[in-house]
PDB file of all heavy atoms in Angstrom:
ATOM      1  N   ASN A 319       0.811  -1.236  -0.002  1.00  0.00           N
ATOM      2  CA  ASN A 319      -0.002   0.001   0.001  1.00  0.00           C
ATOM      3  C   ASN A 319       0.829   1.269   0.002  1.00  0.00           C
ATOM      4  O   ASN A 319       0.360   2.318   0.428  1.00  0.00           O
ATOM      5  CB  ASN A 319      -0.966   0.033   1.182  1.00  0.00           C
ATOM      6  CG  ASN A 319      -1.951  -1.100   1.148  1.00  0.00           C
ATOM      7  OD1 ASN A 319      -2.146  -1.740   0.128  1.00  0.00           O
ATOM      8  ND2 ASN A 319      -2.575  -1.377   2.269  1.00  0.00           N
ATOM      9  N   LYS A 320       2.059   1.228  -0.481  1.00  0.00           N
ATOM     10  CA  LYS A 320       2.918   2.394  -0.415  1.00  0.00           C
ATOM     11  C   LYS A 320       3.292   2.960  -1.779  1.00  0.00           C
ATOM     12  O   LYS A 320       4.027   3.911  -1.846  1.00  0.00           O
ATOM     13  CB  LYS A 320       4.196   2.054   0.359  1.00  0.00           C
ATOM     14  CG  LYS A 320       3.922   1.670   1.793  1.00  0.00           C
ATOM     15  CD  LYS A 320       5.173   1.244   2.495  1.00  0.00           C
ATOM     16  CE  LYS A 320       4.828   0.784   3.914  1.00  0.00           C
ATOM     17  NZ  LYS A 320       5.931   0.131   4.566  1.00  0.00           N
ATOM     18  N   CYS A 321       2.833   2.371  -2.874  1.00  0.00           N
ATOM     19  CA  CYS A 321       3.237   2.867  -4.188  1.00  0.00           C
ATOM     20  C   CYS A 321       2.221   3.854  -4.751  1.00  0.00           C
ATOM     21  O   CYS A 321       1.115   3.996  -4.243  1.00  0.00           O
ATOM     22  CB  CYS A 321       3.468   1.713  -5.162  1.00  0.00           C
ATOM     23  SG  CYS A 321       1.962   0.912  -5.756  1.00  0.00           S
ATOM     24  N   SER A 322       2.582   4.483  -5.838  1.00  0.00           N
ATOM     25  CA  SER A 322       1.705   5.488  -6.447  1.00  0.00           C
ATOM     26  C   SER A 322       0.523   4.868  -7.185  1.00  0.00           C
ATOM     27  O   SER A 322      -0.410   5.574  -7.553  1.00  0.00           O
ATOM     28  CB  SER A 322       2.515   6.351  -7.433  1.00  0.00           C
ATOM     29  OG  SER A 322       3.025   5.542  -8.470  1.00  0.00           O
ATOM     30  N   LYS A 323       0.527   3.558  -7.394  1.00  0.00           N
ATOM     31  CA  LYS A 323      -0.558   2.871  -8.096  1.00  0.00           C
ATOM     32  C   LYS A 323      -1.584   2.258  -7.135  1.00  0.00           C
ATOM     33  O   LYS A 323      -2.436   1.499  -7.561  1.00  0.00           O
ATOM     34  CB  LYS A 323       0.004   1.765  -8.991  1.00  0.00           C
ATOM     35  CG  LYS A 323       0.928   2.266 -10.068  1.00  0.00           C
ATOM     36  CD  LYS A 323       0.164   3.066 -11.082  1.00  0.00           C
ATOM     37  CE  LYS A 323       1.088   3.502 -12.209  1.00  0.00           C
ATOM     38  NZ  LYS A 323       0.425   4.337 -13.168  1.00  0.00           N
ATOM     39  N   TYR A 324      -1.509   2.588  -5.859  1.00  0.00           N
ATOM     40  CA  TYR A 324      -2.416   2.034  -4.847  1.00  0.00           C
ATOM     41  C   TYR A 324      -3.865   2.221  -5.263  1.00  0.00           C
ATOM     42  O   TYR A 324      -4.292   3.310  -5.649  1.00  0.00           O
ATOM     43  CB  TYR A 324      -2.165   2.704  -3.493  1.00  0.00           C
ATOM     44  CG  TYR A 324      -3.194   2.327  -2.457  1.00  0.00           C
ATOM     45  CD1 TYR A 324      -3.117   1.121  -1.802  1.00  0.00           C
ATOM     46  CD2 TYR A 324      -4.245   3.181  -2.157  1.00  0.00           C
ATOM     47  CE1 TYR A 324      -4.057   0.750  -0.847  1.00  0.00           C
ATOM     48  CE2 TYR A 324      -5.189   2.834  -1.210  1.00  0.00           C
ATOM     49  CZ  TYR A 324      -5.099   1.627  -0.562  1.00  0.00           C
ATOM     50  OH  TYR A 324      -6.029   1.267   0.363  1.00  0.00           O
ATOM     51  N   LEU A 325      -4.633   1.141  -5.212  1.00  0.00           N
ATOM     52  CA  LEU A 325      -6.060   1.187  -5.513  1.00  0.00           C
ATOM     53  C   LEU A 325      -6.770   0.269  -4.524  1.00  0.00           C
ATOM     54  O   LEU A 325      -6.645  -0.950  -4.596  1.00  0.00           O
ATOM     55  CB  LEU A 325      -6.336   0.734  -6.948  1.00  0.00           C
ATOM     56  CG  LEU A 325      -7.790   0.699  -7.386  1.00  0.00           C
ATOM     57  CD1 LEU A 325      -8.428   2.088  -7.267  1.00  0.00           C
ATOM     58  CD2 LEU A 325      -7.902   0.191  -8.807  1.00  0.00           C
ATOM     59  N   SER A 326      -7.490   0.849  -3.603  1.00  0.00           N
ATOM     60  CA  SER A 326      -8.162   0.087  -2.569  1.00  0.00           C
ATOM     61  C   SER A 326      -9.286  -0.770  -3.138  1.00  0.00           C
ATOM     62  O   SER A 326     -10.096  -0.297  -3.937  1.00  0.00           O
ATOM     63  CB  SER A 326      -8.737   1.024  -1.504  1.00  0.00           C
ATOM     64  OG  SER A 326      -9.526   0.293  -0.581  1.00  0.00           O
ATOM     65  N   THR A 327      -9.329  -2.029  -2.718  1.00  0.00           N
ATOM     66  CA  THR A 327     -10.435  -2.893  -3.127  1.00  0.00           C
ATOM     67  C   THR A 327     -11.728  -2.487  -2.443  1.00  0.00           C
ATOM     68  O   THR A 327     -12.800  -2.964  -2.795  1.00  0.00           O
ATOM     69  CB  THR A 327     -10.124  -4.368  -2.815  1.00  0.00           C
ATOM     70  OG1 THR A 327      -9.825  -4.507  -1.431  1.00  0.00           O
ATOM     71  CG2 THR A 327      -8.971  -4.878  -3.648  1.00  0.00           C
ATOM     72  N   ASN A 328     -11.629  -1.597  -1.465  1.00  0.00           N
ATOM     73  CA  ASN A 328     -12.823  -1.082  -0.778  1.00  0.00           C
ATOM     74  C   ASN A 328     -13.436   0.109  -1.509  1.00  0.00           C
ATOM     75  O   ASN A 328     -14.538   0.527  -1.164  1.00  0.00           O
ATOM     76  CB  ASN A 328     -12.476  -0.669   0.656  1.00  0.00           C
ATOM     77  CG  ASN A 328     -12.103  -1.869   1.494  1.00  0.00           C
ATOM     78  OD1 ASN A 328     -12.696  -2.928   1.384  1.00  0.00           O
ATOM     79  ND2 ASN A 328     -11.090  -1.718   2.332  1.00  0.00           N
ATOM     80  N   SER A 329     -12.724   0.662  -2.494  1.00  0.00           N
ATOM     81  CA  SER A 329     -13.273   1.762  -3.282  1.00  0.00           C
ATOM     82  C   SER A 329     -14.199   1.180  -4.353  1.00  0.00           C
ATOM     83  O   SER A 329     -14.143  -0.006  -4.674  1.00  0.00           O
ATOM     84  CB  SER A 329     -12.158   2.563  -3.955  1.00  0.00           C
ATOM     85  OG  SER A 329     -11.529   1.786  -4.961  1.00  0.00           O
ATOM     86  N   ASP A 330     -15.063   2.021  -4.908  1.00  0.00           N
ATOM     87  CA  ASP A 330     -15.972   1.549  -5.969  1.00  0.00           C
ATOM     88  C   ASP A 330     -15.183   0.990  -7.153  1.00  0.00           C
ATOM     89  O   ASP A 330     -15.477  -0.086  -7.657  1.00  0.00           O
ATOM     90  CB  ASP A 330     -16.886   2.680  -6.434  1.00  0.00           C
ATOM     91  CG  ASP A 330     -17.938   3.038  -5.397  1.00  0.00           C
ATOM     92  OD1 ASP A 330     -18.203   2.219  -4.494  1.00  0.00           O
ATOM     93  OD2 ASP A 330     -18.490   4.148  -5.485  1.00  0.00           O
ATOM     94  N   GLU A 331     -14.162   1.739  -7.599  1.00  0.00           N
ATOM     95  CA  GLU A 331     -13.368   1.306  -8.750  1.00  0.00           C
ATOM     96  C   GLU A 331     -12.604   0.015  -8.430  1.00  0.00           C
ATOM     97  O   GLU A 331     -12.595  -0.917  -9.232  1.00  0.00           O
ATOM     98  CB  GLU A 331     -12.379   2.389  -9.162  1.00  0.00           C
ATOM     99  CG  GLU A 331     -11.540   2.014 -10.354  1.00  0.00           C
ATOM    100  CD  GLU A 331     -10.496   3.064 -10.697  1.00  0.00           C
ATOM    101  OE1 GLU A 331     -10.270   4.006  -9.926  1.00  0.00           O
ATOM    102  OE2 GLU A 331      -9.887   2.904 -11.780  1.00  0.00           O
ATOM    103  N   GLY A 332     -11.989  -0.025  -7.257  1.00  0.00           N
ATOM    104  CA  GLY A 332     -11.238  -1.219  -6.857  1.00  0.00           C
ATOM    105  C   GLY A 332     -12.130  -2.443  -6.727  1.00  0.00           C
ATOM    106  O   GLY A 332     -11.770  -3.542  -7.135  1.00  0.00           O
ATOM    107  N   PHE A 333     -13.324  -2.257  -6.159  1.00  0.00           N
ATOM    108  CA  PHE A 333     -14.274  -3.358  -5.998  1.00  0.00           C
ATOM    109  C   PHE A 333     -14.706  -3.905  -7.358  1.00  0.00           C
ATOM    110  O   PHE A 333     -14.743  -5.116  -7.583  1.00  0.00           O
ATOM    111  CB  PHE A 333     -15.486  -2.902  -5.189  1.00  0.00           C
ATOM    112  CG  PHE A 333     -16.491  -3.988  -4.953  1.00  0.00           C
ATOM    113  CD1 PHE A 333     -16.272  -4.954  -3.994  1.00  0.00           C
ATOM    114  CD2 PHE A 333     -17.656  -4.043  -5.704  1.00  0.00           C
ATOM    115  CE1 PHE A 333     -17.207  -5.970  -3.778  1.00  0.00           C
ATOM    116  CE2 PHE A 333     -18.594  -5.037  -5.502  1.00  0.00           C
ATOM    117  CZ  PHE A 333     -18.368  -6.010  -4.532  1.00  0.00           C
ATOM    118  N   GLU A 334     -15.030  -2.993  -8.289  1.00  0.00           N
ATOM    119  CA  GLU A 334     -15.446  -3.413  -9.631  1.00  0.00           C
ATOM    120  C   GLU A 334     -14.334  -4.159 -10.348  1.00  0.00           C
ATOM    121  O   GLU A 334     -14.577  -5.183 -10.995  1.00  0.00           O
ATOM    122  CB  GLU A 334     -15.896  -2.209 -10.453  1.00  0.00           C
ATOM    123  CG  GLU A 334     -17.247  -1.659 -10.011  1.00  0.00           C
ATOM    124  CD  GLU A 334     -17.663  -0.428 -10.791  1.00  0.00           C
ATOM    125  OE1 GLU A 334     -17.133  -0.207 -11.902  1.00  0.00           O
ATOM    126  OE2 GLU A 334     -18.518   0.301 -10.300  1.00  0.00           O
ATOM    127  N   LEU A 335     -13.108  -3.665 -10.238  1.00  0.00           N
ATOM    128  CA  LEU A 335     -11.979  -4.336 -10.883  1.00  0.00           C
ATOM    129  C   LEU A 335     -11.704  -5.684 -10.236  1.00  0.00           C
ATOM    130  O   LEU A 335     -11.331  -6.643 -10.932  1.00  0.00           O
ATOM    131  CB  LEU A 335     -10.731  -3.453 -10.847  1.00  0.00           C
ATOM    132  CG  LEU A 335     -10.745  -2.267 -11.791  1.00  0.00           C
ATOM    133  CD1 LEU A 335      -9.514  -1.383 -11.563  1.00  0.00           C
ATOM    134  CD2 LEU A 335     -10.795  -2.724 -13.237  1.00  0.00           C
ATOM    135  N   MET A 336     -11.907  -5.793  -8.938  1.00  0.00           N
ATOM    136  CA  MET A 336     -11.714  -7.074  -8.251  1.00  0.00           C
ATOM    137  C   MET A 336     -12.742  -8.087  -8.750  1.00  0.00           C
ATOM    138  O   MET A 336     -12.410  -9.256  -8.957  1.00  0.00           O
ATOM    139  CB  MET A 336     -11.808  -6.876  -6.736  1.00  0.00           C
ATOM    140  CG  MET A 336     -11.326  -8.027  -5.937  1.00  0.00           C
ATOM    141  SD  MET A 336      -9.559  -8.231  -6.127  1.00  0.00           S
ATOM    142  CE  MET A 336      -9.360  -9.847  -5.458  1.00  0.00           C
ATOM    143  N   GLN A 337     -13.975  -7.654  -8.940  1.00  0.00           N
ATOM    144  CA  GLN A 337     -15.011  -8.538  -9.486  1.00  0.00           C
ATOM    145  C   GLN A 337     -14.660  -8.972 -10.906  1.00  0.00           C
ATOM    146  O   GLN A 337     -14.807 -10.142 -11.264  1.00  0.00           O
ATOM    147  CB  GLN A 337     -16.370  -7.859  -9.463  1.00  0.00           C
ATOM    148  CG  GLN A 337     -16.971  -7.752  -8.094  1.00  0.00           C
ATOM    149  CD  GLN A 337     -18.360  -7.159  -8.143  1.00  0.00           C
ATOM    150  OE1 GLN A 337     -18.611  -6.157  -8.792  1.00  0.00           O
ATOM    151  NE2 GLN A 337     -19.282  -7.808  -7.448  1.00  0.00           N
ATOM    152  N   LEU A 338     -14.199  -8.036 -11.717  1.00  0.00           N
ATOM    153  CA  LEU A 338     -13.803  -8.349 -13.093  1.00  0.00           C
ATOM    154  C   LEU A 338     -12.636  -9.330 -13.087  1.00  0.00           C
ATOM    155  O   LEU A 338     -12.613 -10.279 -13.863  1.00  0.00           O
ATOM    156  CB  LEU A 338     -13.423  -7.073 -13.844  1.00  0.00           C
ATOM    157  CG  LEU A 338     -12.968  -7.250 -15.284  1.00  0.00           C
ATOM    158  CD1 LEU A 338     -14.057  -7.898 -16.133  1.00  0.00           C
ATOM    159  CD2 LEU A 338     -12.565  -5.897 -15.872  1.00  0.00           C
ATOM    160  N   TRP A 339     -11.670  -9.133 -12.203  1.00  0.00           N
ATOM    161  CA  TRP A 339     -10.532 -10.043 -12.072  1.00  0.00           C
ATOM    162  C   TRP A 339     -11.026 -11.456 -11.743  1.00  0.00           C
ATOM    163  O   TRP A 339     -10.600 -12.425 -12.360  1.00  0.00           O
ATOM    164  CB  TRP A 339      -9.568  -9.534 -11.004  1.00  0.00           C
ATOM    165  CG  TRP A 339      -8.499 -10.506 -10.666  1.00  0.00           C
ATOM    166  CD1 TRP A 339      -8.404 -11.287  -9.546  1.00  0.00           C
ATOM    167  CD2 TRP A 339      -7.352 -10.846 -11.461  1.00  0.00           C
ATOM    168  NE1 TRP A 339      -7.278 -12.070  -9.595  1.00  0.00           N
ATOM    169  CE2 TRP A 339      -6.614 -11.818 -10.761  1.00  0.00           C
ATOM    170  CE3 TRP A 339      -6.872 -10.412 -12.700  1.00  0.00           C
ATOM    171  CZ2 TRP A 339      -5.433 -12.366 -11.249  1.00  0.00           C
ATOM    172  CZ3 TRP A 339      -5.699 -10.957 -13.172  1.00  0.00           C
ATOM    173  CH2 TRP A 339      -4.994 -11.925 -12.454  1.00  0.00           C
ATOM    174  N   GLY A 340     -11.920 -11.560 -10.794  1.00  0.00           N
ATOM    175  CA  GLY A 340     -12.465 -12.866 -10.407  1.00  0.00           C
ATOM    176  C   GLY A 340     -13.152 -13.561 -11.562  1.00  0.00           C
ATOM    177  O   GLY A 340     -12.983 -14.750 -11.789  1.00  0.00           O
ATOM    178  N   TYR A 341     -13.917 -12.804 -12.323  1.00  0.00           N
ATOM    179  CA  TYR A 341     -14.613 -13.350 -13.491  1.00  0.00           C
ATOM    180  C   TYR A 341     -13.613 -13.874 -14.516  1.00  0.00           C
ATOM    181  O   TYR A 341     -13.751 -14.981 -15.045  1.00  0.00           O
ATOM    182  CB  TYR A 341     -15.520 -12.294 -14.122  1.00  0.00           C
ATOM    183  CG  TYR A 341     -16.063 -12.689 -15.466  1.00  0.00           C
ATOM    184  CD1 TYR A 341     -17.111 -13.593 -15.574  1.00  0.00           C
ATOM    185  CD2 TYR A 341     -15.516 -12.184 -16.638  1.00  0.00           C
ATOM    186  CE1 TYR A 341     -17.605 -13.980 -16.814  1.00  0.00           C
ATOM    187  CE2 TYR A 341     -15.993 -12.560 -17.878  1.00  0.00           C
ATOM    188  CZ  TYR A 341     -17.035 -13.460 -17.958  1.00  0.00           C
ATOM    189  OH  TYR A 341     -17.506 -13.843 -19.193  1.00  0.00           O
ATOM    190  N   LYS A 342     -12.591 -13.071 -14.795  1.00  0.00           N
ATOM    191  CA  LYS A 342     -11.598 -13.468 -15.792  1.00  0.00           C
ATOM    192  C   LYS A 342     -10.800 -14.690 -15.338  1.00  0.00           C
ATOM    193  O   LYS A 342     -10.490 -15.554 -16.160  1.00  0.00           O
ATOM    194  CB  LYS A 342     -10.657 -12.303 -16.108  1.00  0.00           C
ATOM    195  CG  LYS A 342     -11.342 -11.236 -16.927  1.00  0.00           C
ATOM    196  CD  LYS A 342     -10.371 -10.159 -17.352  1.00  0.00           C
ATOM    197  CE  LYS A 342     -11.062  -9.192 -18.268  1.00  0.00           C
ATOM    198  NZ  LYS A 342     -10.465  -9.148 -19.587  1.00  0.00           N
ATOM    199  N   VAL A 343     -10.490 -14.779 -14.067  1.00  0.00           N
ATOM    200  CA  VAL A 343      -9.767 -15.938 -13.547  1.00  0.00           C
ATOM    201  C   VAL A 343     -10.622 -17.187 -13.698  1.00  0.00           C
ATOM    202  O   VAL A 343     -10.142 -18.234 -14.177  1.00  0.00           O
ATOM    203  CB  VAL A 343      -9.346 -15.727 -12.079  1.00  0.00           C
ATOM    204  CG1 VAL A 343      -8.887 -17.014 -11.441  1.00  0.00           C
ATOM    205  CG2 VAL A 343      -8.253 -14.668 -11.981  1.00  0.00           C
ATOM    206  N   CYS A 344     -11.880 -17.108 -13.321  1.00  0.00           N
ATOM    207  CA  CYS A 344     -12.772 -18.272 -13.450  1.00  0.00           C
ATOM    208  C   CYS A 344     -12.925 -18.693 -14.899  1.00  0.00           C
ATOM    209  O   CYS A 344     -12.914 -19.889 -15.206  1.00  0.00           O
ATOM    210  CB  CYS A 344     -14.141 -17.956 -12.853  1.00  0.00           C
ATOM    211  SG  CYS A 344     -14.143 -17.896 -11.055  1.00  0.00           S
ATOM    212  N   LYS A 345     -13.061 -17.735 -15.792  1.00  0.00           N
ATOM    213  CA  LYS A 345     -13.196 -18.034 -17.218  1.00  0.00           C
ATOM    214  C   LYS A 345     -11.928 -18.698 -17.750  1.00  0.00           C
ATOM    215  O   LYS A 345     -11.997 -19.666 -18.509  1.00  0.00           O
ATOM    216  CB  LYS A 345     -13.504 -16.756 -17.989  1.00  0.00           C
ATOM    217  CG  LYS A 345     -13.855 -16.984 -19.424  1.00  0.00           C
ATOM    218  CD  LYS A 345     -14.284 -15.696 -20.092  1.00  0.00           C
ATOM    219  CE  LYS A 345     -14.628 -15.948 -21.546  1.00  0.00           C
ATOM    220  NZ  LYS A 345     -15.057 -14.733 -22.214  1.00  0.00           N
ATOM    221  N   ALA A 346     -10.767 -18.199 -17.349  1.00  0.00           N
ATOM    222  CA  ALA A 346      -9.494 -18.745 -17.815  1.00  0.00           C
ATOM    223  C   ALA A 346      -9.274 -20.169 -17.280  1.00  0.00           C
ATOM    224  O   ALA A 346      -8.669 -21.008 -17.940  1.00  0.00           O
ATOM    225  CB  ALA A 346      -8.347 -17.843 -17.402  1.00  0.00           C
ATOM    226  N   LEU A 347      -9.764 -20.443 -16.074  1.00  0.00           N
ATOM    227  CA  LEU A 347      -9.571 -21.746 -15.456  1.00  0.00           C
ATOM    228  C   LEU A 347     -10.584 -22.805 -15.902  1.00  0.00           C
ATOM    229  O   LEU A 347     -10.396 -23.987 -15.626  1.00  0.00           O
ATOM    230  CB  LEU A 347      -9.609 -21.624 -13.932  1.00  0.00           C
ATOM    231  CG  LEU A 347      -8.419 -20.926 -13.287  1.00  0.00           C
ATOM    232  CD1 LEU A 347      -8.640 -20.808 -11.787  1.00  0.00           C
ATOM    233  CD2 LEU A 347      -7.130 -21.663 -13.580  1.00  0.00           C
ATOM    234  N   GLU A 348     -11.642 -22.399 -16.569  1.00  0.00           N
ATOM    235  CA  GLU A 348     -12.706 -23.340 -16.963  1.00  0.00           C
ATOM    236  C   GLU A 348     -12.170 -24.546 -17.735  1.00  0.00           C
ATOM    237  O   GLU A 348     -12.490 -25.685 -17.379  1.00  0.00           O
ATOM    238  CB  GLU A 348     -13.791 -22.613 -17.764  1.00  0.00           C
ATOM    239  CG  GLU A 348     -14.942 -23.503 -18.172  1.00  0.00           C
ATOM    240  CD  GLU A 348     -15.764 -24.024 -17.001  1.00  0.00           C
ATOM    241  OE1 GLU A 348     -15.683 -23.447 -15.906  1.00  0.00           O
ATOM    242  OE2 GLU A 348     -16.493 -25.013 -17.193  1.00  0.00           O
ATOM    243  N   PRO A 349     -11.346 -24.359 -18.778  1.00  0.00           N
ATOM    244  CA  PRO A 349     -10.837 -25.538 -19.498  1.00  0.00           C
ATOM    245  C   PRO A 349      -9.994 -26.440 -18.598  1.00  0.00           C
ATOM    246  O   PRO A 349     -10.076 -27.667 -18.694  1.00  0.00           O
ATOM    247  CB  PRO A 349      -9.983 -24.944 -20.624  1.00  0.00           C
ATOM    248  CG  PRO A 349     -10.449 -23.541 -20.765  1.00  0.00           C
ATOM    249  CD  PRO A 349     -10.925 -23.117 -19.412  1.00  0.00           C
ATOM    250  N   LEU A 350      -9.224 -25.858 -17.713  1.00  0.00           N
ATOM    251  CA  LEU A 350      -8.402 -26.640 -16.793  1.00  0.00           C
ATOM    252  C   LEU A 350      -9.277 -27.421 -15.820  1.00  0.00           C
ATOM    253  O   LEU A 350      -9.003 -28.597 -15.533  1.00  0.00           O
ATOM    254  CB  LEU A 350      -7.438 -25.732 -16.043  1.00  0.00           C
ATOM    255  CG  LEU A 350      -6.474 -26.388 -15.093  1.00  0.00           C
ATOM    256  CD1 LEU A 350      -5.570 -27.377 -15.810  1.00  0.00           C
ATOM    257  CD2 LEU A 350      -5.641 -25.340 -14.378  1.00  0.00           C
ATOM    258  N   ARG A 351     -10.340 -26.805 -15.311  1.00  0.00           N
ATOM    259  CA  ARG A 351     -11.262 -27.499 -14.402  1.00  0.00           C
ATOM    260  C   ARG A 351     -11.875 -28.709 -15.088  1.00  0.00           C
ATOM    261  O   ARG A 351     -11.943 -29.801 -14.523  1.00  0.00           O
ATOM    262  CB  ARG A 351     -12.386 -26.569 -13.933  1.00  0.00           C
ATOM    263  CG  ARG A 351     -12.003 -25.576 -12.900  1.00  0.00           C
ATOM    264  CD  ARG A 351     -13.167 -24.733 -12.347  1.00  0.00           C
ATOM    265  NE  ARG A 351     -14.276 -24.492 -13.240  1.00  0.00           N
ATOM    266  CZ  ARG A 351     -15.481 -25.085 -13.144  1.00  0.00           C
ATOM    267  NH1 ARG A 351     -15.720 -25.958 -12.212  1.00  0.00           N
ATOM    268  NH2 ARG A 351     -16.442 -24.793 -13.979  1.00  0.00           N
ATOM    269  N   LYS A 352     -12.333 -28.517 -16.328  1.00  0.00           N
ATOM    270  CA  LYS A 352     -12.971 -29.608 -17.072  1.00  0.00           C
ATOM    271  C   LYS A 352     -11.973 -30.738 -17.350  1.00  0.00           C
ATOM    272  O   LYS A 352     -12.294 -31.901 -17.202  1.00  0.00           O
ATOM    273  CB  LYS A 352     -13.549 -29.077 -18.374  1.00  0.00           C
ATOM    274  CG  LYS A 352     -14.788 -28.244 -18.178  1.00  0.00           C
ATOM    275  CD  LYS A 352     -15.331 -27.744 -19.493  1.00  0.00           C
ATOM    276  CE  LYS A 352     -16.599 -26.927 -19.285  1.00  0.00           C
ATOM    277  NZ  LYS A 352     -17.143 -26.409 -20.540  1.00  0.00           N
ATOM    278  N   GLU A 353     -10.762 -30.381 -17.748  1.00  0.00           N
ATOM    279  CA  GLU A 353      -9.733 -31.383 -18.022  1.00  0.00           C
ATOM    280  C   GLU A 353      -9.393 -32.170 -16.758  1.00  0.00           C
ATOM    281  O   GLU A 353      -9.293 -33.393 -16.779  1.00  0.00           O
ATOM    282  CB  GLU A 353      -8.483 -30.697 -18.552  1.00  0.00           C
ATOM    283  CG  GLU A 353      -7.342 -31.649 -18.830  1.00  0.00           C
ATOM    284  CD  GLU A 353      -6.083 -30.912 -19.279  1.00  0.00           C
ATOM    285  OE1 GLU A 353      -6.198 -29.827 -19.886  1.00  0.00           O
ATOM    286  OE2 GLU A 353      -4.992 -31.431 -19.009  1.00  0.00           O
ATOM    287  N   PHE A 354      -9.241 -31.463 -15.642  1.00  0.00           N
ATOM    288  CA  PHE A 354      -8.912 -32.113 -14.376  1.00  0.00           C
ATOM    289  C   PHE A 354     -10.015 -33.067 -13.950  1.00  0.00           C
ATOM    290  O   PHE A 354      -9.760 -34.193 -13.530  1.00  0.00           O
ATOM    291  CB  PHE A 354      -8.676 -31.056 -13.290  1.00  0.00           C
ATOM    292  CG  PHE A 354      -8.241 -31.637 -11.978  1.00  0.00           C
ATOM    293  CD1 PHE A 354      -6.932 -32.019 -11.773  1.00  0.00           C
ATOM    294  CD2 PHE A 354      -9.151 -31.806 -10.941  1.00  0.00           C
ATOM    295  CE1 PHE A 354      -6.520 -32.555 -10.563  1.00  0.00           C
ATOM    296  CE2 PHE A 354      -8.760 -32.339  -9.728  1.00  0.00           C
ATOM    297  CZ  PHE A 354      -7.437 -32.724  -9.544  1.00  0.00           C
ATOM    298  N   ALA A 355     -11.271 -32.626 -14.075  1.00  0.00           N
ATOM    299  CA  ALA A 355     -12.409 -33.480 -13.715  1.00  0.00           C
ATOM    300  C   ALA A 355     -12.436 -34.732 -14.592  1.00  0.00           C
ATOM    301  O   ALA A 355     -12.620 -35.851 -14.079  1.00  0.00           O
ATOM    302  CB  ALA A 355     -13.713 -32.704 -13.854  1.00  0.00           C
TER     303      ALA A 355
END
């Protein structure tokens, strides 16, 4: 939390980006989940 790019996940922008990150991670992992299963 000490750099100039700090973006709190508690802010509206940070929260929205965190949700988008989660969506993209789940989407990227989908083929791996299916293959593993």
Side-chain angles (χ1 to χ4, degrees):
N319 299 343
K320 297 176 183 169
C321 74
S322 62
K323 299 292 184 183
Y324 172 79
L325 179 59
S326 173
T327 56
N328 294 321
S329 69
D330 289 340
E331 181 184 11
F333 181 78
E334 287 178 20
L335 286 174
M336 193 67 194
Q337 287 184 313
L338 179 60
W339 171 255
Y341 169 77
K342 287 186 175 241
V343 167
C344 287
K345 188 174 180 179
L347 289 177
E348 182 66 18
L350 183 60
R351 284 185 331 106
K352 288 180 179 179
E353 178 184 331
F354 184 80

